[in-house]
Amino acid sequence: MPVSKSLITEHTYEADLRLLQIELVKLQRHIIQKGKRLLVIFEGRDTAGKDGSIKSITEHLSPRDSRVVALNKPSLREEGEWYFQRYVAELPTAGEFVLFNRSWYNRAGVEKVMGFCTDEQYKQFMNTVNDFESLLIGSDIELIKYYLDISKEEQADRLKDRAKDPLKQWKISPIDQKAQKMWNAYSEARNKMLKQTSSTDAPWTVINANDKKLAHLNLIADLLSRVDYPDKDKKILKIDPKIVMACPTNSKALPKLFK
C-alpha cells in the first residue's frame, strides 16, 4: 500500500503554504526587532513528519536568526551531566527563533520505551520537567510544544517507503525499525507524557499528521495564531480542529489519539 495521498492538491498546498510562510517572515522580523525568544518543540511518532514540518516553517526564514536543533545521543561526558544541561546550551537568545527536532522529551519517549534510562531517571524527569519549562517561560522564552501523531498503518507505509527511497536512507535507524513492534509501548509512554506534562504554562498541542500537507498548513496556522506580531493576516489562519487538537492541562482527558 502506498503512503496515503493528501486530500489537498499540490497547487493549493503550495499557494496556501506561501501565504503562511509570508506570515512567518513577518513573525521573524518582529522577533528580531523586539529581541524576542521563541522555542518550538516537535515530538511525535517515528515517520510522523517532524522533518518536513520544520522544513516548511524554516524554508524562507533567515538562517542567521533561526536554528533547527536535532541533537545526537549524549556523549559519555553528557551522560554525566544534569539531564537538561545540553539542551540549555541550545535555547534561543534574544531575537532568535529555535526549533527542536526532538527534545528533552526523549526521556519520556524513546529512552523510556527502549530502556535507555533507568526508572528513577524517568521518574525524576517527569517530576521536574514542568518546573523546568516554567522557569524558561518565566525568563521570557516563549515555548510552544507539538506532538505529531499518525496511525499504525500510516507509519508502516512510511517505513516501507523510507526503506525504498535512496534519498531517505539517512533516516533509517535501529530504533525506527522497532517502531511497529513497540507500538503499544510508545502509545502508553505518549499518553503518560501528554497527561503529566501538558501544564498550564506549557500545554501540548497534538497534530493529526496522517495527511502531511494538511498537517503542515494547520500546524503553521496554529503557531502563527498563538504568537503576537504586527500586520497579522488572521483571515488565512484557518485551523481544522480535527487536525490541531489542544491537550487539556491538569486533566486525565486526552484528545482523540491513534491507539
Side-chain angles (χ1 to χ4, degrees), residues 68 77 120 149-150 176 197 200 203 216 238-239 243 246 256:
V68 177
R77 177 181 176 82
E120 184 58 35
D149 203 31
I150 56 174
D176 288 346
T197 67
T200 302
H216 294 169
K238 301 172 184 176
I239 301 168
I243 295 177
K256 187 175 181 180

Side-chain angles (χ1 to χ4, degrees), residues 89-237:
E90 302 292 346
L91 293 174
T93 189
E96 197 173 32
F97 181 0
V98 174
L99 304 94
F100 276 14
N101 187 344
R102 295 200 182 276
S103 66
W104 42 78
Y105 284 103
N106 276 335
R107 178 135 296 177
V110 64
E111 290 188 20
K112 167 65 174 174
V113 172
M114 300 300 294
F116 296 157
C117 67
T118 65
D119 288 342
E120 184 58 35
Q121 288 172 327
Y122 170 76
K123 290 176 183 177
Q124 183 182 46
F125 171 82
M126 295 293 280
N127 289 334
T128 59
V129 66
N130 289 346
D131 290 337
F132 171 70
E133 291 176 350
S134 291
L135 283 173
L136 299 184
I137 293 162
S139 300
D140 295 325
I141 293 177
E142 190 163 7
L143 173 61
I144 300 174
K145 304 188 301 192
Y146 290 108
Y147 185 91
L148 279 61
D149 203 31
I150 56 174
S151 68
K152 187 176 184 180
E153 294 75 19
E154 180 66 17
Q155 185 188 67
D157 291 342
R158 292 184 187 184
L159 286 169
K160 291 176 184 177
D161 179 68
R162 179 178 290 181
K164 293 185 292 185
D165 190 336
L167 297 178
K168 296 180 180 179
Q169 297 303 298
W170 63 273
K171 291 187 175 184
I172 298 174
S173 72
I175 292 175
D176 288 346
Q177 292 169 356
K178 293 183 179 180
Q180 288 275 292
K181 293 180 181 179
M182 307 293 288
W183 180 269
N184 291 337
Y186 273 112
S187 294
E188 182 179 353
R190 173 203 61 191
N191 293 350
K192 287 182 178 179
M193 181 188 78
L194 293 177
K195 287 178 181 178
Q196 295 185 39
T197 67
S198 192
S199 66
T200 302
D201 284 339
W204 281 101
T205 299
V206 176
I207 304 294
N208 179 333
N210 260 14
D211 187 317
K212 289 184 179 182
K213 290 184 173 65
L214 289 178
H216 294 169
L217 297 177
N218 278 270
L219 191 156
I220 296 173
D222 181 75
L223 171 60
L224 291 166
S225 72
R226 295 170 61 181
V227 291
D228 294 325
Y229 61 93
D231 303 318
K232 182 184 293 189
D233 188 353
K234 294 182 180 180
K235 69 178 182 295
I236 71 168
L237 303 184

